[in-house]
């Protein structure tokens, strides 16, 4: 459980750092940053994050929204994913 929280925190922190450098990033930028974060995570870390149903659902919704709307902002995608 602690490793799941740590892995999720690191993923969010990495994406937040990317966002801080560019302001509110576009969905296209978010998807690139997410792909880089996913590539750097171990299989065990990915499995732990996927094991959290709420986090996995939110992540899937955000990716789906961003794929459909690459020019939208990542904050808009997050709001849509939370609805």
């Amino acid at each position: 459980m602690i490793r799941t929280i740590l892995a999720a925190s690191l993923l969010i922190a990495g994406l937040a750092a990317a966002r801080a450098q560019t302001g509110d990033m576009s969905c296209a930028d978010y998807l690139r940053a997410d792909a880089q974060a996913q590539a750097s995570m171990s299989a065990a870390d990915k499995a732990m994050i996927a094991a959290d149903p709420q986090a996995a659902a939110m992540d899937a919704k955000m990716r789906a929204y961003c794929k459909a709307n690459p020019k939208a902002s990542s904050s808009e995608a997050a709001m849509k994913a939370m609805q």
Side-chain angles (χ1 to χ4, degrees), residues 34-60:
D34 182 56
Q36 290 174 349
Q38 293 292 325
S40 68
M41 292 174 63
S42 70
D45 289 338
K46 289 179 190 178
M48 282 189 230
I49 291 172
D52 181 354
Q54 288 180 323
M58 173 96 169
D59 199 35

Side-chain angles (χ1 to χ4, degrees), residues 21-41:
Q21 291 175 358
T22 62
D24 191 14
M25 72 172 99
S26 69
C27 274
D29 292 336
Y30 170 82
L31 290 172
R32 278 191 291 277
D34 182 56
Q36 290 174 349
Q38 293 292 325
S40 68
M41 292 174 63

